[in-house]
Amino acid sequence: AEAEQAAQRAQRMRLGMQVAAAGGALLAAGLAAAVVSAVSFEAKMRQVASIDDTVKNHFNSMSQSVLALARELPQSANTLAAALYNIAGSGFYGAEALDILEISAKAAAAGMTTTDNSAKAIVATLNAYGLGAESAARVSDALFNTVNYGVLSYEELTAAVSHFVGS
């Protein structure tokens, strides 16, 4: 009986060690993925900084703003940073770019599209009509209503906007 109990304890210990090893491997994989994501995010923000002096001069606070937005909306920080690059590439910088990014991310969630796609449509329209960033919400609403009441997707609308008004 004692030998059987000792064998059962040994079996439980082996099982416990296997579970601990598997948990450690999962933890390591999760940490590795987080590190890769963080490195990717920083690289994307450095790309933004290459064309936006505000981001370049206030890199940490601008990065924190994007990370905060990622916590509020169903968009990853990498997705938002990529869209911010395209917004800056369209001539909107600093706080204005962050405002357009937030509006674009919300439009993406509502319009079932990507942040980059909604940002392209919004900045193309702003630029085509000589509007400032303060008009981004109004433009976004008009674009969303076009999708909502029309028979086209946000992607189709963005393609049409880009074709007709440029980027």
Side-chain angles (χ1 to χ4, degrees):
E2 278 186 44
E4 190 175 311
Q5 288 177 344
Q8 288 176 350
R9 280 194 302 270
Q11 177 68 21
R12 285 193 300 265
M13 285 178 59
R14 279 193 296 276
L15 181 60
M17 290 173 63
Q18 290 171 342
V19 169
L26 287 173
L27 179 62
L31 288 173
V35 168
V36 167
S37 182
V39 168
S40 177
F41 172 71
E42 182 169 348
K44 285 179 175 46
M45 287 302 293
R46 295 275 176 215
Q47 288 177 325
V48 178
S50 73
I51 60 174
D52 184 340
D53 286 339
T54 302
V55 175
K56 182 178 179 181
N57 296 329
H58 304 283
F59 187 81
N60 289 334
S61 64
M62 293 293 284
S63 294
Q64 289 302 314
S65 294
V66 173
L67 290 169
L69 192 56
R71 286 188 295 274
E72 292 175 27
L73 299 168
Q75 305 287 330
S76 74
N78 283 320
T79 297
L80 294 173
L84 184 60
Y85 178 80
N86 290 324
I87 292 167
S90 295
F92 296 95
Y93 307 107
E96 287 185 341
L98 285 175
D99 289 344
I100 294 171
L101 179 64
E102 181 176 3
I103 291 164
S104 299
K106 288 177 180 178
M112 296 173 38
T113 189
T114 65
T115 300
D116 195 46
N117 197 44
S118 61
K120 284 178 185 175
I122 292 168
V123 296
T125 304
L126 291 173
N127 284 334
Y129 293 101
L131 302 171
E134 69 280 355
S135 298
R138 189 168 44 107
V139 167
S140 176
D141 289 346
L143 293 169
F144 177 77
N145 283 326
T146 301
V147 170
N148 193 33
Y149 296 113
V151 269
L152 72 162
S153 69
Y154 214 109
E155 287 78 13
E156 292 167 328
L157 178 61
T158 299
V161 167
S162 296
H163 178 75
F164 289 107
V165 300
S167 54

